[in-house]
């Protein structure tokens, strides 16, 4: 009976520690969510652009890079939405950009 109480106490302690560990992980993820989303958008832009310079896409890539390197404090959502609605943006990239902006706005709520 005494061993059972020790085991219950140990498992309760481990459960509480695991709870705080997971809470810290989730809060850390939510803190960095903007950078993660912008990183995914940047990867999509770079894969669409390829090796050839693109006069319309290069400013978007530069602004995303500036945000990810903490040169600018806010994500370039206005520039992204303008580019996503331009005729030069591909349908795949438009979907990635608009979904990223939507996810970013949802995380702010």
């Amino acid at each position: 009976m005494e061993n059972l109480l020790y085991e219950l106490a140990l498992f309760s302690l481990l459960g509480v520690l695991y709870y705080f560990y997971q809470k810290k992980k989730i809060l850390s993820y939510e803190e960095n969510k903007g950078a993660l989303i912008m990183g995914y958008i940047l990867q999509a832009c770079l894969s669409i652009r390829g090796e050839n310079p693109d006069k319309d896409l290069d400013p978007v890539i530069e602004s995303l890079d500036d945000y990810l390197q903490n040169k600018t404090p806010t994500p370039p959502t206005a520039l992204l939405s303008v580019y996503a609605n331009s005729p030069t943006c591909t349908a795949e990239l438009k979907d990635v950009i608009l979904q990223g902006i939507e996810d970013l706005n949802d995380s702010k709520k």
Side-chain angles (χ1 to χ4, degrees):
M1 184 68 162
E2 189 175 314
N3 286 341
L4 179 63
L5 292 176
Y6 287 136
E7 288 176 9
L8 286 173
L10 177 65
F11 286 132
S12 296
L13 177 66
L14 290 175
V16 168
L17 291 175
Y18 185 71
Y19 167 77
F20 286 118
Y21 169 74
Q22 287 296 333
K23 183 176 179 182
K24 181 181 174 187
K25 259 177 81 173
I26 290 170
L27 291 176
S28 173
Y29 171 76
E30 289 296 324
E31 233 175 56
N32 298 326
K33 192 173 186 178
L36 288 172
I37 291 171
M38 292 298 143
Y40 293 143
I41 294 173
L42 177 62
Q43 288 175 356
C45 290
L46 290 172
S47 67
I48 294 292
R49 187 190 83 173
E51 294 295 320
N52 302 325
D54 185 341
K55 66 178 178 68
D56 295 326
L57 188 56
D58 285 343
V60 174
I61 292 172
E62 289 173 12
S63 66
L64 285 168
D65 189 48
D66 288 345
Y67 173 72
L68 291 173
Q69 293 183 9
N70 294 324
K71 294 180 182 175
T72 57
T74 58
T77 54
L79 180 62
L80 286 170
S81 62
V82 166
Y83 180 74
N85 294 316
S86 72
T88 58
C89 184
T90 63
E92 296 87 10
L93 187 56
K94 181 178 182 175
D95 290 340
V96 170
I97 290 172
L98 294 178
Q99 185 63 46
I101 291 172
E102 182 181 320
D103 290 345
L104 191 62
N105 290 336
D106 287 345
S107 70
K108 289 181 182 178
K109 290 180 182 177

